[in-house]
Amino acid sequence: MDRTAPVGVFDSGVGGLTVAREIMRQIPNERIVYFGDTARVPYGSKSKETIIRYSRQIIRFLRTQDVKAIVIACNTASAYALETVAAESDIPVIGVINAGARTAAAVTRNGKIGVIGTLGTVDSGIYKKVIQDIRPELEVTQKACPLFVPLVEEGLLHDSVTDEIASRYLSDLKSKYIDTLVLGCTHYPLLRSTLRRLMGEDVTLVNPAYETAIELKHLLEEHDMLRMEESGADKENREKYQFFVSDLAERFTTFASSILPNEVRTTKKINIEKY
Ligand code: DGL
């Protein structure tokens, strides 16, 4: 496998950019092909069968870009589709859940962990299962926060409406005296300061995006696929990071530029149903 090949990263839309951002920070030589399924977002309220079908289509598209590994940068797709698509693939495919669950199990001091995510992720029970597979004695309380995704998409990251909704969602978790909170949806790291303020300094916030970038680095090292250096073209940032979506390319470009370290110049719209 060609070490200089890009890593494929996909999400239902913009949320996976929080994972792409961590990959850019932690393994800065890697090229990335990002796909955001902006025509079919949200995934959080769709069935397992649908999410598997979408994930297969996206992986077929990413393979046309000659990616060397794939990161499912979406908690819902990781919960519903990772096992199926990883078993079908001859290149490594990882999701965001295992790394986040492992970290939560390792850092809790009082054994009480909270998990927030979409309805799909919470209904799948996957975080609870993975955490309790590692340490069965841990108490895991899950809470679906379906309004967080639209609030982030609307850019209401620091807003009294977001504060009010967040304090309602988090009250159940606070009453369980959790000391660790897993941000089990790719959009939630963008609400970190609100969540930090409402939960207090004693609660450790686990960002699976950060942990996943570390897991990807180890995986590439193990397979001897880590890219060692940048090329001249990369330095001018012409082809290092490429972005594709299924709809609303300009809107994506604006959002991506606001949260990534470098400006995103173009996003290409593709017809994902063709794949
Ligand atoms: N990216 C999704 C996740 O992490 C959130 C947005 C959606 O519902 O599609 O679960």
Side-chain angles (χ1 to χ4, degrees):
M1 177 53 77
D2 179 6
R3 281 181 190 196
T4 63
V7 173
V9 177
F10 79 87
D11 177 43
S12 54
V14 295
L17 290 168
T18 59
V19 180
R21 180 172 68 176
E22 291 300 334
I23 297 172
M24 291 171 186
R25 282 180 184 153
Q26 296 189 45
I27 28 180
N29 291 337
E30 292 302 327
R31 294 165 59 207
I32 296 175
V33 176
Y34 183 96
F35 176 78
D37 201 356
T38 46
R40 305 187 294 195
V41 67
Y43 282 10
S45 49
K46 295 198 169 69
S47 69
K48 180 171 179 165
E49 295 67 39
T50 299
I51 301 300
I52 291 176
R53 183 168 72 80
Y54 289 176
S55 300
R56 283 184 172 136
Q57 285 180 319
I58 296 167
I59 289 173
R60 283 196 284 270
F61 163 69
L62 290 172
R63 297 301 300 259
T64 68
Q65 304 298 304
D66 294 327
V67 296
K68 62 183 173 185
I70 291 175
V71 178
I72 306 185
C74 171
N75 286 264
T76 312
S78 300
Y80 282 156
L82 174 65
E83 207 181 326
T84 306
V85 297
E88 293 167 352
S89 174
D90 59 354
I91 59 168
V93 183
I94 61 169
V96 283
I97 288 170
N98 288 343
R102 262 199 313 272
T103 305
V107 300
T108 180
R109 289 149 287 142
N110 72 359
K112 296 180 200 298
I113 297 174
V115 176
I116 52 176
T118 63
L119 285 167
T121 300
V122 167
D123 284 351
S124 78
I126 185 121
Y127 271 106
K128 188 170 177 157
K129 182 182 176 307
V130 178
I131 290 169
Q132 291 181 336
D133 280 350
I134 302 167
R135 288 182 61 192
E137 75 282 12
L138 298 180
E139 198 180 291
V140 181
T141 308
Q142 305 183 91
K143 177 78 187 169
C145 304
L147 292 174
F148 279 172
V149 168
L151 287 167
V152 170
E153 301 260 340
E154 286 303 316
L156 299 173
L157 304 184
H158 309 282
D159 193 279
S160 56
V161 174
T162 308
D163 277 13
E164 170 62 28
I165 290 168
S167 60
R168 284 202 207 181
Y169 281 150
L170 298 178
S171 66
D172 286 357
L173 298 170
K174 288 183 97 161
S175 67
K176 300 275 184 184
Y177 300 103
I178 61 161
D179 74 350
T180 303
L181 179 64
V182 180
L183 311 186
C185 170
T186 48
H187 285 64
Y188 300 177
L190 299 172
L191 297 175
R192 192 182 182 97
S193 61
T194 303
L195 300 171
R196 152 77 42 245
R197 184 164 31 82
L198 293 173
M199 292 309 293
E201 290 298 323
D202 292 340
V203 174
T204 306
L205 302 184
V206 174
N207 175 4
Y210 175 83
E211 315 300 338
T212 301
I214 295 176
E215 185 180 332
L216 175 65
K217 183 177 181 198
H218 292 156
L219 179 88
L220 294 177
E221 275 167 352
E222 264 169 40
H223 288 77
D224 203 18
M225 289 194 312
L226 200 61
R227 190 166 185 232
M228 294 308 175
E229 57 192 27
E230 294 184 298
S231 72
D234 286 350
K235 291 200 176 98
E236 291 164 36
N237 210 16
R238 266 184 282 140
E239 51 184 50
K240 189 168 179 191
Y241 302 132
Q242 296 194 55
F243 299 90
F244 296 86
V245 290
S246 46
D247 204 2
L248 298 172
E250 274 177 34
R251 190 165 188 253
F252 179 94
T253 303
T254 308
F255 193 98
S257 294
S258 74
I259 69 160
L260 293 179
N262 293 311
E263 189 197 348
V264 174
R265 287 190 206 141
T266 50
T267 304
K268 290 183 201 134
K269 180 179 158 183
I270 59 157
N271 178 3
I272 195 66
E273 294 290 358
K274 262 184 17 200
Y275 291 90

